[in-house]
Amino acid sequence: MKIEKTNIPENSILKTENNFNFIDGYKGNFIDRNNKFEIQEIGKLFFYTGPKWIDKLFIFRNKVVKLFGLKTANNISKRQQQLENFTGQPGEQVGLFKVFHKTDNEIILGENDKHLDFRVSLFLESNNVETNQKELTISTIVKFNNQFGKIYFLPVRPFHKQIVPTMLKGIIKEINKSECNVS
């Protein structure tokens, strides 16, 4: 499975943002034979398919940032309930991630905090050549609100560059597994 570094898709809601300090994006392709994967399902997979080491990093992060008065994710049982009821509607919250926007092919997740604001776009589009081939792009923008945001992001950045492609692979792997079970 090939994951490529990319720009924010031209039709992404994130393209309307112009006040940010960090940007990146990764894309991958998958086959959706029955055209059953909608953006809401992709949103759920974003939370379900991450490897355990990412969960451990978030637990560590929450313990450290709590000392500085920054926002932390809710407890695991509440997160599970949030995921079960997830529809991707603006205002919904799953852990640290709040839904800001939803269209037929994109969900914008993120959070605003005193040190920085971030947005994550899950952007799904059909490949023009083959109608059952789709492309999923995960893009991130970060805006530093103060010097602490810059300092905070220094150690986060290298992990971010590992986490996002790993999560994208996990989503596509789960889709491929689901597609194999249907055939």
Side-chain angles (χ1 to χ4, degrees), residues 81-137:
Q81 182 183 17
Q82 291 168 335
L83 275 173
E84 288 170 8
N85 299 322
F86 185 78
T87 61
Q89 294 305 310
E92 279 187 83
Q93 188 94 23
V94 178
L96 188 62
F97 294 84
K98 175 182 171 185
V99 178
F100 281 87
H101 300 283
K102 179 187 176 198
T103 66
D104 289 342
N105 67 326
E106 184 174 28
I107 290 179
I108 303 293
L109 305 163
E111 189 56 81
N112 296 334
D113 208 342
K114 59 185 173 187
H115 66 308
L116 60 76
D117 302 340
F118 73 92
R119 299 292 182 271
V120 176
S121 164
L122 306 173
F123 190 88
L124 181 63
E125 61 186 326
S126 295
N127 186 312
N128 293 332
V129 179
E130 263 183 71
T131 58
N132 61 354
Q133 184 175 6
K134 293 188 177 173
E135 183 174 271
L136 177 60
T137 303

Side-chain angles (χ1 to χ4, degrees), residues 21-36:
N21 305 101
F22 172 83
I23 180 173
D24 77 355
Y26 297 89
K27 68 180 178 180
N29 294 303
F30 64 92
I31 302 297
D32 184 3
R33 287 184 190 89
N34 298 312
N35 205 26
K36 70 176 187 174

